[in-house]
Amino acid sequence: MTGTIDTTDTDAAADRALKARHRAMWALGDYPSVAVELIPELGPVLVAAAGVRPGDRVLDVGAGAGNAAVPAAVAGARVTASDLTPELFVAGRAFAARHGVQVEWEEGDAEALPYEDGAFDVVLSCIGVMFAPHHQRAADELVRVCRPGGTIGLLSWTPQGFVGDMFRAMKPFAPAPPPGAQPPPLWGDEDHVRALLGDRVTDVTTTREVLTTDRFATPEAWRDHWKTVYGPTVAVYRGIADDADKVAALDRDLAAVAASADRGTGSTVMDWEYLVLTARRSG
């Protein structure tokens, strides 16, 4: 007797395990300090590009500690911040309180958002949704929860920029990605994102900008800070902690990435390229 094996339950279990690892990874280190100290300008850039207005219903996907959600609330919007890692919400609530605004913080998977179709006027993600492993699923959700005529706004690190180089340096030391997972910096490739969104959006606009980081004295100082605060990097180092040669090699390779990007004299100055993309939901 023959039959077909139902892999639905197996696939669902594997997906839950993958998301649990992602949640744990982003809870490592101190990502809120990265958002506040290194990349604070990115959220306001995205909010401005998306044209957030008072009274707009805004969803920030992969909100982290609210680097886009809080500026959107400051602009007068009614904001929901969604993230797979609710451990980040403690810092997010404190960030919102410092700015005197209210934000709704809700745990949610970017690939299966717990909201109705067309629930939001503006759907944002500032270097958040790019880390969802299955890009098409995540893009489908961004479109689904945005109302017809509403705005989708994304800010993502580019593949050819500094962060793309950093991920390439870490890749040989990290576990192989699960089947179907795609590299995060692809969200910084305009053609890739246009293909993900397809004809469900119109009026696509893109700009490439750079974030200048100048707070580190040397490339090695950046590396030593980054390996303690940035979840994906912390996770890679933990995975090779028992192999001193690999740790030394990754130390060398990350410092080399920063050194190649350094244009400073007397201190390390790096430009981290990102893509801002906005689009209007069709219909």
Side-chain angles (χ1 to χ4, degrees), residues 52 89 125 198 243 264 267:
V52 173
F89 294 166
S125 189
D243 190 326
S267 66

Side-chain angles (χ1 to χ4, degrees), residues 15 50 62 90 120 129 139 145 152 169 175 206 242 270 279:
D15 190 65
V90 174
F120 298 93
V129 74
V145 300
I152 297 171
T206 61
D242 293 334
M270 299 178 285

Side-chain angles (χ1 to χ4, degrees), residues 74-238:
V74 170
R78 295 172 289 161
V79 182
T80 299
S82 173
D83 200 280
L84 188 66
T85 306
E87 290 87 344
L88 300 174
F89 294 166
V90 174
R93 291 187 178 98
F95 183 33
R98 289 196 299 272
H99 286 80
V101 295
Q102 293 290 327
V103 173
E104 295 295 324
W105 302 89
E106 298 180 352
E107 182 177 350
D109 180 354
E111 297 179 5
L113 292 168
Y115 306 110
E116 295 181 359
D117 296 358
F120 298 93
D121 302 304
V122 182
V123 178
L124 303 175
S125 189
C126 184
I127 54 174
V129 74
M130 65 181 291
F131 292 101
H134 306 105
H135 293 190
Q136 191 63 63
R137 288 187 206 168
D140 291 348
E141 286 294 273
L142 296 176
V143 174
R144 181 184 66 79
V145 300
C146 185
R147 67 165 175 81
T151 299
I152 297 171
L154 308 171
L155 189 153
S156 310
W157 303 119
T158 64
Q160 67 271 29
F162 174 82
V163 176
D165 289 343
M166 180 194 71
F167 274 102
R168 278 189 290 275
M170 293 195 301
K171 183 177 179 180
F173 302 92
Q182 294 175 281
L186 279 178
W187 281 87
D189 180 287
E190 177 183 344
D191 291 339
H192 179 71
V193 182
R194 283 180 178 271
L196 292 175
L197 299 175
D199 60 5
R200 298 171 297 177
V201 300
T202 61
D203 303 322
V204 177
T205 64
T206 61
T207 59
R208 290 184 182 272
E209 305 289 347
V210 296
L211 170 77
T212 299
T213 301
D214 60 1
R215 59 165 291 176
F216 300 102
T218 64
E220 291 76 16
W222 166 78
R223 176 203 65 206
D224 292 344
H225 179 73
W226 200 248
K227 65 194 281 189
T228 65
V229 299
Y230 190 63
T233 307
V234 176
V236 171
Y237 271 100
R238 286 193 176 187

